[in-house]
């Protein structure tokens, strides 16, 4: 045996599993096809949002949350309806209790902390029992993605110094070794060294082969978002036809290889048609990986138009129902859509997902944060996209704005009079305290929450108010991101075979396991749950594997 346990994937779930094994005194080989500079995987690039229930931060903001309300929201969003949802449902119940229980104290003991203002993501599709968060639950890590990776990377590196952890970067797993029905190791190619920037494409040139053996293998290799062909092949009919054009919210190496490799070893792969892709993607003006896109984290004020310039109906409001909006947009016949807004809205409401787009939070600088978030103007990264990003149009008049939109998409122009009429109709609703426009009603309701009023939601103003300009249009793309299905696992993160029984010696955690059970989110995410799923399932896998080995 080369170690007690082999962990495949050095992202957050792999680091958490390895850290748990180190704490238990077990020896580990941590294998990853990328270079050491990529440690932390996708979590490193994230905004660092975490889903907590009835947290101290919520209580300080006047938010009344509970396990019962969170379970209502989770089950209403997940909409579990399949026989294979047995384990995902159990994972969901366990995770909500974890989020309401020891999750925050467990992280805090490792040095993790969160921003005091709680965000309200995925506000829902309209009904109490349906999709969405009834209350704000999105807690931003102080330090964003790197801030959540650091405690576990530190534990892994300390394990390396003690001789408990071998770091095998640039090792590409091609096969899970099965002996007598049990997974006993991995086999693959040693790839040539790389000095490529973190997340940039790397060589797949082999310089040798390797075989590693252990008593257990934990697969934590991520999803399929970097492989657009596989995304399209898995695309469900319920969301319409897959887009011909998409941009990538994850690096190219997030390609789904280990899912097929695990299946060949007997693993059950379920819910592969469940996925989570964003509809507010913009092309990165300074890309790192192929088709690199960034997600806008919008407040609720921007008008959302489809590619033909028609305003989206409910639930197509910014920040309310991601997949409901994706379904609406796929019915429009266009792969792009538009936000129409003003400088006043972009200054208050636009945030960009990702640690590199939030240097104040990532750098843990209170002074920079106050300057960026409270002073006049949008944040520096948002202003950079506004001036350098190819998807932004800035104009003084509605005529100039529509002309700029049509210059970006000459093959699918929008009609000036249609856009003008819809903007004027929306603006006219602000002449009264009453409204039938549900977006205006949602704005007013959002500003009843102190956190939104403070830093997130602009005061409702007319878009054509000349004092709030200039006008801005943003072309939006579908941005690939997460797999919601994956390898079926029990609550110990043991991978199940097609017969429903555990595959001896094989565990899975993180996105490759649908963040737990093969699909803990069901059909929809409540946000802040992807990193949390990596934490929870990685912890379960590490602890269970540590108990299994001699």
């Amino acid at each position: 045996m080369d170690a007690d346990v082999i962990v495949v994937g050095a992202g957050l779930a792999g680091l958490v599993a390895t850290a748990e094994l180190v704490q238990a005194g077990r020896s580990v080989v941590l294998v990853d096809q990328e270079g050491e500079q990529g440690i932390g995987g996708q979590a490193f690039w994230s905004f660092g949002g975490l889903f907590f229930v009835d947290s101290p931060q919520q209580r300080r903001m006047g938010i009344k949350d509970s396990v019962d309300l969170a379970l209502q929201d989770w089950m209403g969003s997940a909409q579990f309806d399949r026989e294979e949802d047995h384990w995902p449902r159990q994972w969901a119940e366990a995770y909500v209790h974890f989020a309401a229980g020891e999750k925050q104290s467990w992280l805090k003991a490792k040095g993790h902390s969160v921003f005091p203002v709680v965000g309200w993501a995925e506000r829902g599709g309209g009904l109490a029992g349906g999709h969405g968060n009834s209350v704000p639950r999105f807690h931003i890590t102080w330090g964003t993605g790197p801030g959540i990776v650091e405690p576990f990377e530190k534990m892994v590196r300390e394990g390396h110094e003690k001789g408990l952890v071998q770091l095998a970067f640039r090792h590409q797993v091609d096969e899970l070794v099965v002996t007598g029905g049990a997974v006993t190791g991995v086999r693959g190619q040693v790839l040539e060294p790389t000095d490529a920037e973190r997340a940039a494409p790397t060589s797949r040139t082999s310089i040798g082969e390797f075989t590693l053996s252990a008593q257990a293998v934990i697969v934590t290799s991520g999803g399929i978002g970097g492989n657009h062909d596989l995304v399209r092949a898995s695309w469900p009919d319920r969301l319409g036809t897959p887009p011909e054009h998409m941009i990538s919210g994850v690096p190219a190496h997030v390609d789904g290889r280990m899912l097929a490799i695990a299946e060949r070893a007997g693993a059950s792969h379920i819910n592969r048609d469940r996925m989570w892709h964003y509809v507010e993607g913009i092309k990165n003006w300074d890309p790192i990986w192929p088709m690199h896109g960034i997600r806008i984290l919008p407040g609720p004020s921007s008008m959302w138009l489809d590619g033909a310039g028609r305003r989206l109906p409910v639930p197509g409001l910014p920040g309310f129902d991601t997949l409901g909006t994706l379904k609406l947009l796929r019915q429009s016949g266009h792969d792009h859509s538009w936000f129409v807004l003003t400088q006043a809205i972009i200054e208050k409401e636009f945030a960009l997902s990702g640690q590199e787009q939030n240097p104040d939070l990532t750098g843990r600088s209170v002074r920079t944060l106050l300057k960026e978030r409270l002073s006049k103007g949008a944040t520096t990264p948002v202003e950079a996209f506004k001036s350098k990003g190819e998807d932004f149009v800035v104009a003084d008049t509605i005529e100039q704005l529509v002309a700029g939109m049509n210059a970006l998409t000459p093959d699918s122009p929008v009609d000036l009079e249609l856009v003008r009429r819809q903007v004027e109709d929306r603006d006219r609703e602000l002449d009264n305290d009453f409204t039938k426009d549900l977006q205006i009603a949602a704005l007013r309701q959002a500003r009843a929450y102190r956190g939104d009023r403070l830093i997130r939601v602009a005061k409702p103003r007319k878009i054509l108010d000349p004092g709030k300009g200039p006008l801005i249009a943003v072309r939006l793309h579908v941005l690939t991101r997460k797999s919601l299905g994956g390898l079926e696992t029990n609550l110990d993160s043991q991978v199940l075979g097609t017969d429903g029984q555990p595959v001896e010696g094989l565990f899975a955690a993180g996105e490759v396991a649908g963040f737990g059970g093969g699909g803990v989110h069901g059909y929809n995410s409540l946000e802040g749950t992807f990193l949390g799923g990596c934490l929870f399932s990685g912890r379960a896998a590490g602890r269970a594997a540590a108990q299994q080995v001699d």
Side-chain angles (χ1 to χ4, degrees):
M1 295 287 176
D2 295 287
D4 294 324
V5 181
I6 297 166
V7 176
V8 181
L12 181 59
L15 293 176
V16 173
T18 303
E20 290 290 336
L21 288 159
V22 168
Q23 280 194 310
R26 306 304 186 189
S27 61
V28 187
V29 180
L30 180 58
V31 177
D32 198 291
Q33 67 181 359
E34 298 305 306
E36 188 168 356
Q37 63 271 39
I39 196 167
Q42 297 174 62
F44 176 88
W45 294 102
S46 73
F47 196 33
L50 290 172
F51 177 94
F52 293 125
V53 176
D54 192 27
S55 69
Q57 292 78 17
Q58 286 177 300
R59 293 193 292 272
R60 281 195 290 269
M61 297 299 295
I63 300 163
K64 297 178 181 179
D65 201 2
S66 67
V67 169
D68 288 342
L69 184 61
L71 280 171
Q72 171 185 306
D73 289 346
W74 195 290
M75 296 306 175
S77 297
Q79 301 166 22
F80 294 124
D81 60 358
R82 297 174 177 174
E83 201 173 306
E84 56 265 40
D85 284 331
H86 169 75
W87 285 111
R89 185 187 295 273
Q90 292 200 40
W91 271 92
E93 292 177 359
Y95 180 70
V96 169
H97 281 91
F98 176 63
E102 64 175 312
K103 179 180 178 183
Q104 191 163 13
S105 60
W106 176 67
L107 286 169
K108 187 176 181 180
K110 299 181 185 305
H112 176 271
S113 60
V114 297
F115 186 64
V117 179
V118 183
W120 195 356
E122 285 298 298
R123 300 177 188 224
L127 297 176
H131 170 56
N133 286 294
S134 297
V135 297
R137 296 192 178 103
F138 191 82
H139 297 67
I140 302 168
T141 296
W142 187 234
T144 64
I148 201 164
V149 169
E150 283 169 9
F152 300 99
E153 180 183 353
K154 179 182 177 183
M155 295 172 69
V156 170
R157 293 197 182 279
E158 288 174 350
H160 177 61
E161 292 172 4
K162 294 176 182 176
L164 286 174
V165 178
Q166 301 175 54
L167 300 175
F169 292 101
R170 299 297 285 161
H171 282 56
Q172 177 183 277
V173 173
D174 297 324
E175 178 187 357
L176 293 174
V177 178
V178 180
T179 307
V183 174
T184 57
V186 296
R187 184 177 293 125
Q189 305 295 315
V190 179
L191 305 178
E192 66 179 355
T194 179
D195 58 1
E197 184 180 1
R198 176 192 285 268
T202 56
S203 164
R204 291 294 176 262
T205 300
S206 173
I207 58 173
E209 298 180 345
F210 74 92
T211 300
L212 296 168
S213 60
Q215 296 181 61
V217 174
I218 303 175
V219 176
T220 67
S221 56
I224 68 172
N227 184 339
H228 289 193
D229 290 339
L230 193 51
V231 168
R232 292 189 183 94
S234 304
W235 194 273
D237 291 339
R238 66 181 177 275
L239 294 179
T241 57
E244 292 182 14
H245 165 76
M246 297 183 284
I247 56 179
S248 291
V250 295
H253 64 253
V254 185
D255 57 9
R257 288 183 72 254
M258 283 304 302
L259 284 163
I261 290 167
E263 284 185 87
R264 289 196 292 271
S268 171
H269 180 189
I270 61 174
N271 297 320
R272 65 185 76 208
D273 65 317
R274 293 178 181 170
M275 53 185 67
W276 191 254
H277 306 304
Y278 292 112
V279 279
E280 312 99 331
I282 51 177
K283 295 179 182 178
N284 194 343
W285 63 269
D286 187 20
I288 297 172
W289 56 79
M291 298 175 286
H292 188 174
I294 298 293
R295 184 203 174 195
I296 295 171
L297 302 172
S301 297
S302 299
M303 285 187 67
W304 206 331
L305 311 181
D306 68 17
R310 299 177 295 251
R311 191 177 179 192
L312 297 188
V314 173
L317 304 178
F320 276 71
D321 185 345
T322 294
L323 293 192
T325 305
L326 176 58
K327 183 176 180 180
L328 286 173
L329 290 172
R330 295 313 305 143
Q331 295 168 355
S332 75
H334 298 87
D335 286 351
H336 71 279
S337 61
W338 294 98
F339 275 168
V340 173
L341 60 150
T342 66
Q343 180 66 23
I345 292 173
I346 203 172
E347 288 180 4
K348 186 83 170 183
E349 296 195 2
F350 263 39
L352 300 172
S353 184
Q355 60 88 6
E356 80 281 17
Q357 303 300 331
N358 296 276
D360 50 352
L361 292 164
T362 301
R364 302 179 176 104
S365 170
V366 175
R367 177 178 295 180
T368 306
L369 184 141
L370 292 173
K371 179 182 177 183
E372 287 281 350
R373 308 283 164 165
L374 299 182
S375 62
K376 186 172 176 56
T379 64
T380 300
V382 170
E383 287 291 348
F385 265 91
K386 197 181 84 174
S387 62
K388 300 176 183 178
E390 66 176 87
D391 294 312
F392 284 72
V393 179
V394 182
D396 292 324
T397 67
I398 193 75
E399 293 83 4
Q400 293 169 349
L401 189 76
V402 170
M405 293 163 68
N406 289 339
L408 275 185
T409 56
D411 294 333
S412 53
V414 300
D415 180 70
L416 169 61
E417 293 310 314
L418 173 63
V419 175
R420 188 204 308 273
R421 175 173 58 78
Q422 292 174 120
V423 172
E424 289 177 345
D425 287 350
R426 179 263 187 203
D427 282 359
R428 198 173 292 117
E429 292 286 308
L430 289 169
D431 290 336
N432 286 285
D433 292 334
F434 311 96
T435 185
K436 68 178 181 181
D437 190 303
L438 292 181
Q439 185 171 15
I440 302 298
L443 294 180
R444 291 170 175 163
Q445 194 263 347
R447 284 182 60 84
Y449 167 48
R450 192 189 334 154
D452 275 348
R453 188 171 63 252
L454 248 157
I455 64 170
R456 194 71 180 109
V457 179
K459 188 175 181 179
R461 298 287 189 187
K462 294 186 177 183
I463 286 177
L464 294 181
D465 181 344
K468 300 302 175 183
L471 297 171
I472 301 167
V474 186
R475 180 177 57 180
L476 306 173
H477 311 262
V478 175
L479 177 77
T480 63
R481 187 59 69 85
K482 298 297 181 186
S483 312
L484 297 188
L487 301 179
E488 188 177 12
T489 60
N490 61 22
L491 287 177
D492 285 331
S493 288
Q494 291 176 295
V495 175
L496 305 182
T498 52
D499 61 356
Q501 298 303 307
V503 177
E504 186 179 347
L506 185 60
F507 298 79
E511 189 175 356
V512 77
F515 302 91
V520 67
H521 299 92
Y523 288 95
N524 291 283
S525 166
L526 289 173
E527 291 290 8
T529 56
F530 300 131
L531 294 175
C534 290
L535 295 169
F536 190 49
S537 61
R539 190 176 85 148
R543 292 182 177 184
Q547 291 180 353
Q548 177 175 302
V549 300
D550 298 329

